[in-house]
Amino acid sequence: MSAATSTRPADATVGAVDTHCPYCALQCGMTLSPAGRASVRVRPRDPSAGGLCQKGWAAAALLGSPARLTTPLVRDGGTLRPASWDEAVGLVARRIKEITADRGPDAVAVFGGGGLTNEKAYLLGKFARVALGTSQVDYNGRFCMSSAAAAAHRAFGLDRGLPFPLTDLEGADAVLLAGANPAETMPPFLSHLRRAMDAGGLIVVDPRRTPTAERAALHLAPVPGTDLALALGIFHAAVADGRLDHGFVGDRTTGFDEAWRVAAAWWPERVERVTGVAAADQRRAAAILAEAASAYVLTARGTEQHSTGVDTVGAWINLALALGLPGRRGSGWGCLTGQGNGQGGREHGQKADQLPGYRRIDDPAARAHVAGVWGVEPSALPGPGRSAFELLDALGTPDGPSALLVFASNPVVSAPHSARVADRLAALDLLVVADIVLSETARAADVVLPITQWAEEDGTLTNLEGRVLLRRRALAPPPGVRTDLEVLHDLAVRLGQPPERFPADPETVFTELRAASEGGPADYSGVTWDRLRAGERLHWPVPAGPAFRRPGHQGTPRLFLDRFAHPDGRARFAAVDHKGPAEPPDEEFPLYAITGRVLQHYQSGAQTRRVEELRAAVPEAYVEVHPDTAERAGLRDGAAAAVVGRRGRVLATVRCVPSMRPDVVFLPFHFPGAQRANLVTNPALDPVSRMPEFKVCAVRLSPAGEREAQ
Ligand code: SF4
């Protein structure tokens, strides 16, 4: 049985289309207009909201790129050769059957991505649990959002990146950004912070003096890995200086006394000794937030990607709760989601411990509901599987999976301890990668499946404020490629599933997703594509009631205004303490390495490195370092350096930056091969979220030519 294929002509554009950017979670609106047979022209739909960043403007370049995959590839005698879809998918199905028969369903694993549409994320999770019967499914959003999500669940009983509309930030007099650099990662976002910037209310917490920090009235630059201590210090200062919102804390929260018992020991002068942030600046930060009529605390990856990420975000939430910010119109706490569908991607079942609607896979009621929608017995659904890094780390081991299917991810570049991950992939009996280009992970595959990209298919995404967006098709895909949904449909049928159980039409999949999410925390049952086509702004939850009988709910732009989502309606303080990074510097590795993004590139760079304008702007890896630190290592600006850690070495060109802390080097993580920042990053995991500690590890710096003992 072969897959449904596109019925649209392959060489015709379909007119001007209003849609959204393929990259980050801001999901800027854009209009695509025909520009010849194989491409479209981009223009921003809402210049008043900041327009587009350089990545968005250049997004169409990849549509007609010669780097595009247009035929399946099959490994044959060590090399990848073109194959028909029938041969490629037939081979995958046959090998899955053999491996499953030999070692059981958990021998086949699935790795998804936060860039997948809601429909794809949903069908991928269903494919894993029903067609494969495996518990071994997780996705790269584990590397992105999991600590903030876990902390939000703990504090509020529900996780949605921003529990308020993005535009609410425009009224803010004060905003604290912890570990966020939107001036480079999502520049249009800054347009929402103009008032706070003009009012002298922007506070940025970042070890680097980033372009965002340059715009701040107060830049707090803690020693890497000490954000939790800094949050405790500001919390302490707020309470000690009489800024606690007693009414809010008494009426709407629990757990303050336990949290304060820990924070009481973190007075600002003690915090200064640990973080390097002046006690006076901690007090000033508390004052700016407390005295503003409208204030927000926002976190992002810089403060979240730690082995203490959940507790660190919990400490920032404690600060927000102490000041009475969450659950009030015009103030709050929120998390800036990173990937395009980082929010929706974590709600619909591609995560190891979740089912659609943000349900827990170990909840009997959730299993019964979703199994009913899927037409299977609840007992047939597997339980929770391994988290992303633990899954990758187990590949090809005696107890781990021996086959892996990868969708929308490039873990050879993006996973921590990436040399170890590449070794594990090489140990597999079967690696299948679905992608638009021959990514570094696809190069290692046994079978590569060429798929459509953003402007060639319809689908929904959920942006960083929990709003469901329709990303629309503007261009026919090139001949030879299929959608991920078509691939999953074909594979499922070849594995013995009824065709109707795995529809390839995205709107049909969404209708099923609505039913599967109904009654769950992330309830999409009242969302329809027609409502989205009509331009309705729907933030989940959008309940519709049984069998969609009441589809008129207007959505929930602001969560928690009346009550938080815990059974008692109260938010919970967390009694969290500072622990420090898992791998502090020492004599052998005396520097902190931190990682991050640059304006022109996105995630592993698989897409943006293939866009000439973006590649030319930043063609290779570099290491930012203080000039004195470079000199001590025998390096100068422009020299080739090796950043050496316990797990490997990264080659990068030195950029001397006087504003860098002398004890820190910064590596962008978009580059492949020997320039992979993740060759040195530490896979130490947060005990709750299983988030790796991407943001701090110990390294030394040396000239690239010197042989280094590893
Ligand atoms: S900010 Fe994000 S969504 Fe907007 S254009 Fe840039 S990459 Fe695209």
Side-chain angles (χ1 to χ4, degrees):
M1 180 71 148
S2 64
T5 53
S6 170
T7 55
R8 304 278 182 102
D11 60 350
T13 52
V14 291
V17 169
D18 287 342
T19 186
H20 295 270
C21 175
Y23 295 118
C24 84
L26 201 53
Q27 283 296 294
C28 297
M30 55 172 58
T31 299
L32 304 181
S33 308
R37 286 167 59 87
S39 195
V40 289
R41 185 176 298 113
V42 170
R43 63 185 162 84
R45 262 200 291 146
D46 190 2
S48 66
L52 304 171
C53 78
Q54 192 177 357
K55 293 186 290 291
W57 277 109
L62 203 57
L63 292 165
S65 167
R68 188 73 188 278
L69 292 172
T70 55
T71 184
L73 303 172
V74 168
R75 191 164 297 282
D76 194 352
T79 58
L80 289 168
R81 63 160 172 82
S84 69
W85 273 99
D86 192 52
E87 179 189 0
V89 182
L91 173 64
V92 174
R94 179 169 55 78
R95 292 293 293 127
I96 286 174
K97 285 180 187 169
E98 290 169 355
I99 290 167
T100 303
D102 190 33
R103 300 191 55 230
D106 276 357
V108 180
V110 175
F111 199 83
L116 293 172
T117 62
N118 291 325
E119 294 79 9
K120 294 177 184 182
Y122 170 81
L123 205 70
L124 188 63
K126 179 181 176 182
F127 174 82
R129 274 64 177 247
V130 175
L132 298 175
T134 183
S135 67
Q136 302 298 295
V137 52
D138 211 58
Y139 80 124
N140 65 18
R142 178 79 70 171
F143 298 158
C144 187
M145 298 302 307
S146 56
S147 285
H153 269 294
R154 187 168 68 184
F156 308 122
L158 184 65
D159 154 53
R160 197 181 86 189
L162 297 183
F164 46 81
L166 186 60
T167 47
D168 279 9
L169 292 169
E170 292 169 8
D173 302 304
V175 175
L176 183 148
L177 293 175
N181 180 19
E184 289 193 280
T185 58
M186 49 173 71
F189 174 81
L190 290 182
S191 68
H192 301 290
L193 305 186
R194 272 193 206 114
R195 180 179 166 121
M197 287 190 279
D198 291 349
L202 181 63
I203 305 163
V204 171
V205 176
D206 198 313
R208 291 168 70 215
R209 189 145 184 92
T210 62
T212 308
E214 289 284 351
R215 291 164 164 84
L218 182 59
H219 174 206
L220 309 177
V223 173
T226 65
D227 291 32
L228 205 165
L230 179 59
L232 288 168
I234 302 174
F235 175 33
H236 183 111
V239 176
D241 294 348
R243 304 182 187 282
L244 183 68
D245 187 332
H246 290 277
F248 177 88
V249 170
D251 293 345
R252 299 203 57 191
T253 73
T254 62
F256 172 80
D257 290 345
E258 292 79 5
W260 175 245
R261 210 165 288 137
V262 181
W266 287 97
W267 57 94
E269 284 73 15
R270 181 188 176 202
V271 169
E272 178 176 339
R273 290 195 290 277
V274 172
T275 66
V277 175
D281 284 344
Q282 297 169 50
R283 295 192 171 96
R284 191 173 154 214
I288 289 173
L289 291 170
E291 290 169 10
S294 167
Y296 292 85
V297 174
L298 304 177
T299 66
R301 303 307 84 68
T303 208
E304 297 164 6
Q305 290 178 321
H306 294 274
S307 58
T308 57
V310 177
D311 283 354
T312 302
V313 177
W316 292 117
I317 293 175
N318 283 350
L319 171 64
L321 290 172
L323 298 174
L325 306 183
R328 282 187 174 169
R329 198 178 178 114
S331 64
W333 171 87
C335 155
L336 299 179
T337 308
Q339 295 194 72
N341 200 27
Q343 183 67 53
R346 67 182 186 264
E347 297 164 1
H348 299 302
Q350 61 175 330
K351 195 159 176 264
D353 51 0
Q354 283 178 358
L355 290 172
Y358 227 151
R359 290 179 157 96
R360 293 181 59 97
I361 201 167
D362 57 2
D363 172 0
R367 293 170 65 86
H369 174 83
V370 174
V373 173
W374 288 351
V376 300
E377 289 299 318
S379 59
L381 298 179
R386 293 178 171 92
S387 73
F389 183 78
E390 291 163 299
L391 175 58
L392 296 171
D393 193 46
L395 297 174
T397 63
D399 297 328
S402 48
L404 178 70
L405 279 59
V406 179
F407 289 79
S409 194
N410 187 15
V412 166
V413 177
S414 62
H417 196 182
S418 54
R420 162 79 182 170
V421 169
D423 285 348
R424 296 329 313 151
L425 293 174
L428 288 168
D429 293 334
L430 176 67
L431 174 61
V432 181
V433 176
D435 210 328
I436 60 174
V437 295
L438 198 62
S439 71
E440 289 70 22
T441 306
R443 283 180 202 282
D446 300 295
V447 179
V448 181
L449 303 174
I451 54 164
T452 48
Q453 52 176 313
W454 62 292
E456 298 163 354
E457 57 189 8
D458 292 320
T460 63
L461 298 97
T462 305
N463 75 355
L464 78 176
E465 55 183 346
R467 182 157 68 99
V468 187
L469 307 169
L470 185 58
R471 199 157 74 187
R472 297 178 58 199
R473 170 180 162 136
L475 188 76
V481 307
R482 291 182 179 179
T483 69
D484 295 280
L485 297 180
E486 289 169 341
V487 170
L488 292 172
H489 169 89
D490 192 358
L491 261 178
V493 170
R494 290 175 191 255
L495 292 171
Q497 292 292 314
E500 63 279 8
R501 186 174 277 169
F502 287 89
D505 171 62
E507 191 167 357
T508 306
V509 175
F510 189 81
T511 300
E512 187 183 305
L513 178 159
R514 293 171 60 203
S517 75
E518 186 172 359
D523 188 335
Y524 281 47
S525 59
V527 182
T528 66
W529 277 34
D530 280 342
R531 295 184 76 181
L532 299 175
R533 287 186 189 105
E536 288 194 60
R537 300 172 72 88
L538 299 171
H539 302 246
W540 68 258
V542 193
F548 313 139
R549 279 199 294 272
R550 297 189 301 275
H553 192 284
Q554 296 305 303
T556 316
R558 294 174 188 83
L559 294 165
F560 314 139
L561 291 181
D562 301 322
R563 66 192 311 278
F564 294 98
H566 286 302
D568 61 3
R570 291 169 175 258
R572 294 177 183 164
F573 280 88
V576 294
D577 205 351
H578 173 64
K579 294 188 188 68
E583 187 180 78
D586 56 17
E587 215 168 288
E588 191 181 2
F589 300 104
L591 300 170
Y592 295 97
I594 61 176
T595 66
R597 282 166 54 182
V598 304
L599 173 65
Q600 288 82 4
H601 290 295
Y602 181 69
Q603 305 300 69
S604 78
Q607 296 162 85
T608 50
R609 283 186 276 111
R610 290 172 170 86
V611 175
E612 179 53 28
E613 173 189 333
L614 303 177
R615 194 199 63 76
V618 187
E620 60 175 12
Y622 58 85
V623 53
E624 282 188 6
V625 56
H626 190 280
D628 293 347
T629 308
E631 189 179 338
R632 273 199 299 279
L635 293 160
R636 57 181 168 71
D637 198 59
V643 180
V644 184
R646 286 190 171 80
R647 289 160 293 280
R649 66 202 294 262
V650 184
L651 300 182
T653 303
V654 171
R655 281 193 188 177
C656 286
V657 178
S659 64
M660 284 293 287
R661 293 178 58 101
D663 55 354
V664 173
V665 301
F666 168 78
L667 290 162
F669 55 60
H670 313 289
F671 300 96
Q675 299 189 338
R676 273 175 294 171
N678 281 317
L679 288 166
V680 295
T681 52
N682 187 358
L685 302 180
D686 182 283
V688 175
S689 68
R690 319 307 286 166
M691 164 75 86
E693 187 151 81
F694 283 101
K695 278 296 182 277
V696 57
C697 66
V699 297
R700 64 172 174 262
L701 196 60
S702 69
E706 285 183 8
R707 284 313 306 159
E708 285 279 353
Q710 301 271 318

